Amino acid sequence: MDDPKRQMVILALLGVALVGSYLVSDVPPDAAPSDAETQAVEAAPAEAAEPPATAAAGPTESERREVEELFRIETDAFHAELSNLNTGLVKLEPREERFTDGRGAPLNLVTTDKEAYYAFVLAIPGVDMPADAVWEGEQLSARAVRFRWEGDGMRISRRIEAGAGPFQLWSTVRVENLGDRPRPIKVRYSTYHYVSKEAEDAGFIGRPSTALSFGVCLHSESDEEEGEVEREEGSGLAEEAATFRGGVRFTGVVDSYFANAIAAADGRAGECHLEASLRGPSLDDVQGTLLETHLTYDEVTLAPGPPYIERTLGYVGPADRDALRLAGHHLPEVVDLGWFSFLANWLVDLLRWIHGFAGNWGLAIILLTILVKAAFFPLTVRSFQSMAKMRTLKPKLDALNEKYADDPQLKGQAVMGLYKSEGVNPASGCLPMLLQMPVWFALYRSISTNLELYHAPFVGWLQDLSAPDPYFVLPAFVAVLMHLQQRLTPSTMDPAQARLFMYLMPIMIGGFMLFLPAGLCLYMVTNSTLTMIQQRIIYARMDAQEDAATTGEDDAEGDMDPSDETVDAPSDEPGASANPRRRSGSRKASRKKGKRRGRS
């Protein structure tokens, strides 16, 4: 990896296609499945969790709609509606203006409209609740609703109220045994999310769509352990469901910008179950994926008399880090920041701090990129200096390649011997860049999952930094800058290979950038521009140092003590000179000329 062009190509590829991460195009959560889509087809039926009792066969959908009544919860952050059919969440709309659908209407984060698939639904396994059950609803206040149902020897009450932070819904369930014998029961919450196939396929090479959804579950074997977030893509869950037991802290369904999660108040739920099903008229006409997740508390035996009470947090809203931190219960971990999440979190906070005085997210990205490049400038200098040493060995390397063309083993030994004799480490040029990789990965992921960029304008035609550049201006800039950078970079490559990299690679990388979010493209343009500037500065400094060294050598030669000089005797040879200093000056000029010719 001694050639800067090869390193630049690797960095560009890593900056675009690598970093597994979510999301690229700006696709809002989808509308609820149509009637045709509710006829589910499953590619590989998996063992499903016990469905809510209200999903059983019984009254028709139109009959249920006739008796449905909606109750509301209003806060400064959102408007929510809940159904008296199964106490599920029918609608939740953020009030912030940027959260709108493609038609400019408020964005409903509940993406299903069927009773069986409402969000944040309650079920009580062990209680026989008929399919035509209707809860008695009561609007306690603008921020609180209560539902009651009595039957099968049980009285169940569920109070749902807005939490102190945005997008929090706290559910308190109270179950009373009205009979004369103990009854085993469980408390289960379920939530659902539908995403269309068109939205899922809206991504591009190396980057999936922002609408691509995942089932998540955080569990641990003991309270002392932090646990690990299990993250399963919808397509995988459609093939095989996943169940995790013990110490469940939260479960839910997330995409790039939004979260629909349920968290146990004390982190002691017994099980979370994730699954998905393909939806559409047939396997040949799959129109979307329905993801579902269930959080189930351990079974309890409820004796007559004292009630059983369980409290649970529901979070349905944007994956805003501040809101998730306020919600607690490890919910910030629903955002996937990759391997270097600790760095990505720090960079997100830094970006927000910069935005505090910059006032524009695009400008904040530019300033953040400048800070990162400046911080790593010393490492960049060392990398270029090492590559400069490698370039001086090119003639000798070419000679060894020619001499041992038929013997790779001897050629390798000769090349390593040359490196050793010249004091050159061929890996030293790459090491500084490798040390920067974690920061680059983290920066890339922090920008690509940053909710603040959702529908955030920059300048002119760039009115949404989370969506691709509508006119592909930034991707074109990336390609042009990469071409110029390669043209200005001295290379040890074969000329034919160098031309291939000079034209083909910029086109390919520019193509990769076409459907990336504009915020990421802006970062790539800024980074490429700064790299070219740094390259020119470093090369100019190296040239100046070499010129100073050469001038010093020649001055030392020209300023020798006269007593030490040997004055040439007059010669009869044509062109002979009796002035040695003049000959020294000629050698000096010749060396400078040769040195610059060698760089060109």
Side-chain angles (χ1 to χ4, degrees), residues 64-318:
R64 294 291 284 171
R65 294 290 189 188
E66 290 178 1
V67 296
E68 183 174 32
E69 186 178 357
L70 300 180
F71 295 82
R72 294 168 174 79
I73 292 180
E74 306 279 353
T75 73
D76 293 339
F78 65 88
H79 161 80
E81 296 182 2
L82 299 107
S83 171
N84 67 329
L85 299 184
N86 60 3
T87 73
L89 186 63
V90 176
K91 177 186 293 185
L92 191 143
E93 298 174 343
R95 294 194 182 279
E96 194 172 346
E97 292 183 0
R98 62 180 172 137
F99 295 116
T100 59
D101 61 17
R103 299 177 297 274
L107 186 62
N108 184 10
L109 300 186
V110 177
T111 56
T112 53
D113 66 355
K114 310 302 177 189
E115 178 187 347
Y117 308 121
Y118 287 160
F120 204 20
V121 174
L122 171 69
I124 310 292
V127 177
D128 185 12
M129 186 175 295
D132 61 352
V134 176
W135 294 64
E136 177 187 349
E138 181 182 1
Q139 189 79 49
L140 300 177
S141 68
R143 298 173 60 90
V145 175
R146 180 166 58 207
F147 296 99
R148 292 191 181 98
W149 181 86
E150 186 174 327
D152 190 31
M154 294 285 189
R155 180 184 296 130
I156 305 172
S157 171
R158 183 188 185 192
R159 176 188 172 101
I160 306 171
E161 58 187 329
F167 310 110
Q168 297 177 21
L169 291 171
W170 282 95
S171 173
T172 304
V173 174
R174 178 187 177 98
V175 184
E176 297 178 75
N177 185 349
L178 305 179
D180 56 3
R181 60 184 176 84
R183 297 272 299 272
I185 64 167
K186 293 182 180 180
V187 171
R188 169 179 296 149
Y189 287 95
S190 305
T191 200
Y192 301 82
H193 173 70
Y194 173 79
V195 57
S196 71
K197 188 175 186 299
E198 180 182 5
E200 286 184 307
D201 295 342
F204 195 60
I205 299 173
R207 293 285 298 174
S209 164
T210 54
L212 189 66
S213 300
F214 296 79
V216 296
C217 175
L218 174 61
H219 66 102
S220 61
E221 295 182 358
S222 66
D223 292 339
E224 291 74 22
E225 297 180 2
E226 288 294 329
E228 182 176 354
V229 177
E230 308 287 348
R231 198 177 300 271
E232 304 288 342
E233 190 176 330
S235 58
L237 292 174
E239 297 179 0
E240 183 179 4
T243 301
F244 306 97
R245 295 181 175 88
V248 175
R249 299 180 185 276
F250 71 75
T251 187
V253 181
V254 299
D255 60 24
S256 294
Y257 296 122
F258 301 96
N260 184 341
I262 308 167
D266 56 5
R268 63 177 181 84
E271 177 182 294
C272 61
H273 179 86
L274 311 175
E275 66 175 283
S277 56
L278 304 180
R279 317 296 285 187
S282 68
L283 285 172
D284 297 326
D285 187 19
V286 174
Q287 298 176 356
T289 304
L290 178 68
L291 293 91
E292 58 186 275
T293 181
H294 310 271
L295 182 143
T296 306
Y297 289 92
D298 290 331
E299 183 178 270
V300 297
T301 299
L302 181 60
Y308 170 75
I309 300 175
E310 195 67 72
R311 198 160 183 258
T312 305
L313 169 64
Y315 182 97
V316 182

Side-chain angles (χ1 to χ4, degrees), residues 331-479:
L331 284 180
E333 295 185 46
V334 302
V335 180
D336 183 15
L337 291 174
W339 296 340
F340 304 103
S341 58
F342 64 99
L343 281 174
N345 272 312
W346 182 80
L347 288 170
V348 168
D349 291 337
L350 179 58
L351 182 64
R352 295 180 62 181
W353 178 79
I354 295 173
H355 176 265
F357 62 84
N360 182 285
W361 286 108
L363 181 57
I365 290 174
I366 293 174
L367 294 175
L368 177 62
T369 310
I370 292 173
L371 285 177
V372 172
K373 294 293 286 186
F376 284 111
F377 184 71
L379 286 177
T380 306
V381 171
R382 292 187 61 183
S383 179
F384 277 105
Q385 288 174 340
S386 177
M387 289 186 291
K389 292 180 181 179
M390 292 296 299
R391 288 198 301 272
T392 62
L393 297 183
K394 186 177 186 303
K396 296 180 180 180
L397 289 172
D398 291 342
L400 292 177
N401 288 332
E402 183 178 352
K403 181 178 181 179
Y404 298 106
D406 300 328
D407 195 333
Q409 185 174 357
L410 285 178
K411 181 174 68 174
Q413 293 175 354
V415 169
M416 293 308 296
L418 176 63
Y419 288 154
K420 185 176 181 180
S421 64
E422 296 290 339
V424 173
N425 183 355
S428 60
C430 297
L431 183 59
M433 293 189 179
L434 291 175
L435 294 176
Q436 300 174 57
M437 287 295 182
V439 176
W440 289 333
F441 292 173
L443 182 61
Y444 186 80
R445 288 302 293 268
S446 64
I447 292 177
S448 63
T449 60
N450 198 325
L451 179 71
E452 281 81 0
L453 303 185
Y454 184 80
H455 289 180
F458 179 36
V459 292
W461 75 101
L462 294 176
Q463 292 300 307
D464 185 357
L465 288 172
S466 69
D469 184 334
Y471 302 110
F472 308 122
V473 175
L474 292 179
F477 266 121
V478 171

